[in-house]
Amino acid sequence: MAKSIGIDLGTTNSVTGIKKAHLEIIKNREGELLTPSCVTVKKKKKLLKLGTMEEYIVGRNALEWIKQDPANTITAVKRLMGRNLDDPEIKKMITNMNCPYRISAHSKGTVNSLAVVLGGKEHTPEQISAKILEKMKSDAENALGDEVVFAVITVPAYFNDKQKHATRTAAALSGLKVRRLLPEPTAAAISFGVDTIGQDDAKTVLVFDFGGGTFDLSVLTISGGQFIEQGKGGNMWLGGEDIDNTIMDFVLGETAREYGIDDMDALIANQDEQSRNLFWGELKSAVEQAKIRLSDDQETYIEILAILKDGDGDRIDIDVELTRKRFEEIIAPIVDATVTLTRKLLADIHFTPDLIDKVLLVGGSSRIPAVITAIENEFGKQKVLLHERPMLAIAEGAAILSHRLSDTYECPHCGKSVSQSDPTCDECGFDLEGYIISESVFDIVHAAAHDYYIYLENNERYLLIEKNTPLPCEKTEPFKLVHADQRLVHMKFFNIVNETEESIGDLWLGIDENETHPEGSVHMEVTLKIDENNLVEVAAGLKELPHVELTKTLSRGKADEKLFISLENLINTANRKGYDIYTIEDLTSRALSVITDIQNVIDKQTDDVNESVYKSTEMKIDKAAKLAEKNITSKPLICYAQDALNNFGPMIKDRRKAVIRKRIEKLKKMDACGTYAENVKALEALDTTLDSIGWVNALMMIKKAGECCEEHEPARAAKFFNALETIGRGHVNAEVDRVTSTLEEVLPQVQEILDQYDTKTGTIHKDIRR
Ligand code: ADP
Ligand code: MG
């Protein structure tokens, strides 16, 4: 029977659990409960000189490799998941001295996507995470002697939809089917057994998760199987590693004092590369081990012998004593920081410590006695529960949920496969119902992790779905377009995470030019759907134009997003600069075609980027931007040339007419699919030819002035049309004087009219309002 497991995919360590009759944490192939979330690749010479073969190594053996080749060992990849290169957290990570591997722009990525370099090859964070999950899956299969297909995987409560999507992708790459992504604090609460609190007996807990690199706080109210998040806090950059670094500084300081070394950093920097890497690796693991011992012992020693040498080649051995008391002094600022952050979270959500029923301590660093004491002082000793196995708690919670979500499970009495709905076991008659009730009273209800908003005109925000709404949920809301002739609709959806806006995706609707717009305002409906797994889908439709509709799964952070951002910038620039209406019309129709193209950039089945559609769309946007900026529009010139031929054809020589016709065709073609340069060239060619029919141009201007008057000042129109007739007759009868004098009389007025009425500036409308 295919097994269903729970995985804590941690920043520092990953853990797999399974619940059968009992809850069990599965040991990896190395015999450990914790698998370091660390990945490296080793090149192996292939037999028969067929080149080299790569082998990915995950866990303890990868972590050991840091000492040999730190640049090729990836740690803390969880921090990179679902983030862009310009994310402030990524910038921190790149500048952070503790990140020796390379994080760079993904050369094949079309977005602001990032890659880590491992074995000289680019990998996405999802690919690295998948390697960790692959090991968790395969080690579990090895231990259970059975195939593992399904998993509940835990994610931090602050993960947004993009980060969750990246986690889901990693799981898919590893061959695991995700039953649910479970927030870590909820998993912790489940493992403490607090999920069985009844409807009438709501409890509020603070989950205090102090891990290797992060410190996560969550306040949850639990009632009837529902977990309502009241608030979250902590610090993404505070954890056991910071404690290790503080001890390291202490150890180096003590050693420098003992040997009378002025500049310890310089001494280490002067070691050859191999000893230097070895020294840092040894020191790192020695201080961590010392720290772990000090959770039980009162004193310990840190020893690193025979690696460092001074300038004279004499050995500098590290041999430092560290007492619990001294340790607590040097880590006091870190412990204080956890207390301050806890107080801050409570203050932020207007809670006082007496409103917290229980404080659940999880994460390896919660083992430190000074941390436990500090939290007990805040909340009272009786409220604080330290998990018996703080580093395994999250995986236990995931395993429990995974078990509950599986359709079938093994009878706890005889091991036969039974279904969730069976009251008793067919084989042995075991009371399954009674067992389930005693083990897990309620189903877990999932809730929206954030508030979901949409933008209205003037950057107003509109709340569509409120945080903590039970999932799945769906909401449809009516909106209106802002302008009767609007051709584009841009809907921007976003969450607010830690008080900052996080885009979850955009939806664009294009209303084709041939579409007859109904009179008055156009109504639209927007539907936002979130399923149990927090997957978001949006749909939008226009009431008056029911066939223009669009449904899309959001939050992919893929190439289409980048194109939409370019399009948005292009339109915003046009509206800011106030282009003339010809340019605006031209841009609008280009935008419509771009929207259709962008919707084909991502393959709906495989999620892959269609490179050729991407490239050509990018080119189209780029061309539209350049044309608009230079005020170059082909369509008005094409119309003008056609008008000139239709109205004043007899006054143009046949040979010239043929040239104009040819150049019109060429320009039409280049306008639609030529590059910017080809387009400009074709336009200039037609323009030059039209220049050579000088006085037909004058007639065209008079005609235009007449038309403008018909619209705005009908009384003046006749004058211009009469002048056209006079000139026409004069031309036929070769009366040069009459033609010239009429032109001289009428042209100044033509200019005045055109200045007044022609070439107004326009706006591209794309917003919505309530
Ligand atoms: P993460 O959630 O980031 O993957 P874990 O919860 O697995 O992290 O915690 C790992 C951290 O806990 C490491 O920094 C490790 O040194 C620390 N740690 C583990 N055991 C102890 C202990 N007994 N005392 C103090 N720190 C510990
Ligand atoms: Mg953790």
Side-chain angles (χ1 to χ4, degrees):
M1 191 179 72
K3 294 285 194 302
S4 183
I5 56 174
I7 299 179
D8 168 8
L9 184 58
T11 311
T12 322
N13 296 305
S14 296
V15 183
T16 305
I18 188 161
K19 174 147 168 50
K20 295 183 282 185
H22 301 285
L23 194 56
E24 183 195 328
I25 295 298
I26 303 172
K27 284 190 178 151
N28 63 19
R29 278 197 172 77
E30 291 77 58
E32 308 160 311
L33 298 170
L34 300 168
T35 302
S37 303
C38 184
V39 181
T40 189
V41 68
K42 282 184 190 166
K43 288 209 187 331
K44 275 187 166 176
K45 285 256 180 307
K46 248 193 186 170
L47 291 175
L48 305 170
K49 294 197 176 66
L50 281 171
T52 52
M53 201 177 70
E54 279 162 357
E55 190 194 0
Y56 288 90
I57 296 173
V58 180
R60 176 75 43 207
N61 296 330
L63 196 62
E64 287 297 317
W65 192 246
I66 284 193
K67 296 171 194 169
Q68 316 294 324
D69 192 5
N72 263 315
T73 316
I74 312 292
T75 53
V77 72
K78 187 172 177 178
R79 291 190 189 282
L80 307 177
M81 295 288 276
R83 292 188 193 269
N84 289 336
L85 203 56
D86 60 6
D87 189 309
E89 300 302 333
I90 300 300
K91 288 194 177 137
K92 261 190 220 163
M93 209 166 153
I94 293 173
T95 46
N96 189 338
M97 292 300 287
N98 293 328
C99 180
Y101 58 87
R102 221 174 89 212
I103 302 172
S104 61
H106 201 297
S107 65
K108 287 208 197 67
T110 26
V111 218
N112 183 5
S113 57
L114 59 83
V116 295
V117 181
L118 179 58
K121 246 175 48 189
E122 290 181 340
H123 294 72
T124 61
E126 289 91 324
Q127 287 169 330
I128 301 290
S129 246
K131 295 292 169 208
I132 300 171
L133 288 172
E134 254 171 42
K135 177 174 170 68
M136 304 313 282
K137 176 181 191 287
S138 134
D139 284 2
E141 287 173 339
N142 180 55
L144 299 168
D146 204 345
E147 191 193 9
V148 170
V149 181
F150 298 101
V152 165
I153 300 177
T154 58
V155 287
Y158 56 79
F159 256 26
N160 62 24
D161 291 301
K162 251 183 219 170
Q163 292 168 305
K164 286 183 207 158
H165 182 70
T167 309
R168 245 178 240 118
T169 306
L173 290 173
S174 75
L176 279 170
K177 293 200 168 76
V178 177
R179 281 211 196 271
R180 191 105 349 135
L181 292 183
L182 179 66
E184 287 163 12
T186 307
I190 294 173
S191 80
F192 274 96
V194 288
D195 54 321
T196 55
I197 292 162
Q199 198 85 51
D200 315 320
D201 187 25
K203 284 265 183 305
T204 298
V205 301
L206 169 72
V207 178
F208 181 102
D209 182 352
F210 196 15
T214 58
F215 172 47
D216 299 324
L217 288 170
S218 277
V219 174
L220 302 172
T221 297
I222 305 157
S223 145
Q226 194 167 344
F227 291 74
I228 298 170
E229 189 192 279
Q230 306 287 0
K232 47 186 178 277
N235 181 346
M236 277 189 57
W237 296 92
L238 187 69
E241 259 185 56
D242 298 281
I243 295 174
D244 300 346
N245 290 338
T246 325
I247 309 176
M248 243 191 260
D249 289 344
F250 167 78
V251 168
L252 293 176
E254 289 294 290
T255 309
R257 232 185 22 199
E258 184 189 332
Y259 285 89
I261 299 162
D262 291 336
D263 190 344
M264 194 69 188
D265 287 341
L267 183 130
I268 298 167
N270 283 336
Q271 310 294 310
D272 63 63
E273 192 186 335
Q274 202 188 350
S275 322
R276 198 171 54 232
N277 288 342
L278 184 65
F279 174 74
W280 282 124
E282 292 288 342
L283 181 62
K284 221 176 130 21
S285 58
V287 296
E288 187 183 5
Q289 289 315 310
K291 169 188 76 175
I292 291 172
R293 285 194 298 275
L294 284 176
S295 288
D296 297 314
D297 304 344
Q298 291 299 328
E299 60 180 18
T300 190
Y301 293 88
I302 295 150
E303 264 186 1
I304 297 170
L305 309 177
I307 298 180
L308 288 187
K309 299 225 167 64
D310 67 11
D312 304 328
D314 292 332
R315 269 169 64 161
I316 305 289
D317 285 344
I318 304 252
D319 184 0
V320 173
E321 182 191 25
L322 182 58
T323 61
R324 166 93 64 92
K325 189 162 169 295
R326 187 80 190 94
F327 170 66
E328 290 181 353
E329 280 163 16
I330 63 176
I331 66 160
I334 294 175
V335 178
D336 290 349
T338 63
V339 174
T340 308
L341 286 163
T342 306
R343 287 184 190 155
K344 181 176 179 302
L345 169 60
L346 294 191
D348 284 351
I349 58 172
H350 311 292
F351 266 53
T352 47
D354 58 295
L355 292 175
I356 302 289
D357 296 308
K358 290 280 178 236
V359 182
L360 313 180
L361 299 189
V362 296
S365 302
S366 288
R367 272 274 179 85
I368 298 172
V371 172
I372 303 170
T373 311
I375 296 305
E376 284 177 346
N377 290 342
E378 282 299 292
F379 292 92
K381 214 177 164 94
Q382 70 293 346
K383 279 192 189 176
V384 179
L385 305 178
L386 172 65
H387 198 280
E388 279 174 48
R389 303 157 300 269
M391 288 195 281
L392 311 179
I394 310 268
E396 285 183 7
I400 293 171
L401 181 65
S402 195
H403 170 69
R404 279 188 214 170
L405 291 175
S406 54
D407 304 329
T408 54
Y409 64 104
E410 286 169 12
C411 168
H413 189 246
C414 70
K416 186 184 173 278
S417 170
V418 291
S419 144
Q420 286 285 10
S421 55
D422 290 350
T424 50
C425 175
D426 278 353
E427 183 81 16
C428 70
F430 184 76
D431 176 11
L432 296 167
E433 216 165 55
Y435 168 78
I436 288 173
I437 290 169
S438 72
E439 281 289 298
S440 54
V441 184
F442 298 101
D443 258 351
I444 292 153
V445 181
H446 293 265
H450 311 285
D451 287 329
Y452 287 77
Y453 292 88
I454 185 170
Y455 260 120
L456 302 184
E457 62 178 339
N458 304 323
N459 281 340
E460 244 181 82
R461 298 164 169 176
Y462 185 82
L463 182 64
L464 280 170
I465 288 180
E466 225 175 321
K467 179 173 161 175
N468 287 327
T469 305
L471 300 180
C473 71
E474 179 173 337
K475 186 114 171 248
T476 301
E477 291 272 342
F479 297 95
K480 278 191 267 212
L481 304 194
V482 294
H483 199 271
D485 293 328
Q486 190 166 341
R487 295 273 166 220
L488 301 168
V489 189
H490 181 198
M491 288 152 276
K492 292 169 76 156
F493 299 89
F494 61 96
N495 292 140
I496 300 211
V497 182
N498 299 332
E499 285 157 43
T500 48
E501 252 173 45
E502 249 170 35
S503 164
I504 53 168
D506 294 25
L507 191 63
W508 287 76
L509 279 184
I511 306 167
D512 196 78
E513 271 139 282
N514 305 322
E515 210 58 78
T516 41
H517 236 301
E519 287 297 313
S521 55
V522 179
H523 295 82
M524 66 180 303
E525 266 186 351
V526 177
T527 302
L528 187 77
K529 245 197 251 183
I530 313 175
D531 73 5
E532 294 92 332
N533 295 313
N534 262 293
L535 277 180
V536 183
E537 192 181 278
V538 293
L542 301 166
K543 266 215 173 117
E544 287 81 357
L545 301 167
H547 52 284
V548 183
E549 63 176 308
L550 205 57
T551 305
K552 195 181 154 200
T553 310
L554 286 178
S555 304
R556 294 293 144 107
K558 281 271 169 75
D560 53 343
E561 206 167 283
K562 184 174 178 207
L563 294 172
F564 276 137
I565 291 171
S566 308
L567 181 66
E568 187 185 348
N569 289 339
L570 171 63
I571 295 173
N572 289 342
T573 309
N575 288 340
R576 203 177 51 243
K577 291 197 173 165
Y579 293 138
D580 68 41
I581 38 167
Y582 301 117
T583 306
I584 292 296
E585 273 169 21
D586 188 53
L587 253 187
T588 306
S589 66
R590 286 182 195 279
L592 284 170
S593 109
V594 162
I595 287 174
T596 320
D597 292 350
I598 298 179
Q599 274 146 16
N600 296 321
V601 165
I602 307 285
D603 186 308
K604 296 195 176 54
Q605 250 78 55
T606 63
D607 232 27
D608 287 339
V609 180
N610 184 324
E611 289 291 336
S612 74
V613 178
Y614 180 86
K615 284 265 144 55
S616 70
T617 313
E618 194 181 37
M619 217 183 80
K620 266 192 190 175
I621 297 176
D622 191 49
K623 175 177 163 185
K626 278 189 185 148
L627 290 172
E629 181 163 350
K630 299 252 159 67
N631 228 329
I632 300 170
T633 45
S634 306
K635 289 212 179 67
L637 193 71
I638 294 170
C639 287
Y640 179 93
Q642 276 164 342
D643 257 11
L645 290 176
N646 293 342
N647 289 292
F648 307 105
M651 300 178 191
I652 307 169
K653 290 198 187 88
D654 282 348
R655 244 192 48 221
R656 189 149 288 154
K657 270 194 277 200
V659 175
I660 293 176
R661 282 205 191 92
K662 216 177 88 195
R663 294 195 168 169
I664 288 176
E665 286 318 308
K666 175 92 184 185
L667 179 56
K668 275 187 183 166
K669 208 169 129 198
M670 289 305 132
D671 181 51
C673 40
T675 63
Y676 168 74
E678 287 166 341
N679 196 159
V680 171
K681 201 173 147 210
L683 188 130
E684 279 167 357
L686 179 60
D687 201 39
T688 321
T689 321
L690 290 174
D691 275 349
S692 67
I693 51 165
W695 70 294
V696 168
N697 294 326
L699 297 180
M700 286 292 289
M701 276 167 73
I702 299 171
K703 179 168 168 276
K704 179 92 201 176
E707 286 161 359
C708 279
C709 282
E710 273 183 325
E711 198 183 328
H712 302 283
E713 281 183 67
R716 290 178 75 181
K719 171 161 201 169
F720 297 108
F721 292 122
N722 289 341
L724 275 183
E725 231 187 278
T726 314
I727 296 168
R729 238 180 299 120
H731 179 261
V732 175
N733 302 333
E735 296 165 320
V736 179
D737 286 351
R738 180 190 283 253
V739 169
T740 319
S741 66
T742 314
L743 276 176
E744 272 169 8
E745 193 201 326
V746 84
L747 279 182
Q749 295 176 46
V750 164
Q751 201 56 55
E752 183 205 324
I753 294 291
L754 293 184
D755 285 348
Q756 195 174 345
Y757 298 117
D758 201 23
T759 60
K760 287 172 294 181
T761 60
T763 305
I764 303 184
H765 296 285
K766 61 179 171 62
D767 292 340
I768 56 170
R769 61 163 68 126
R770 281 292 285 175

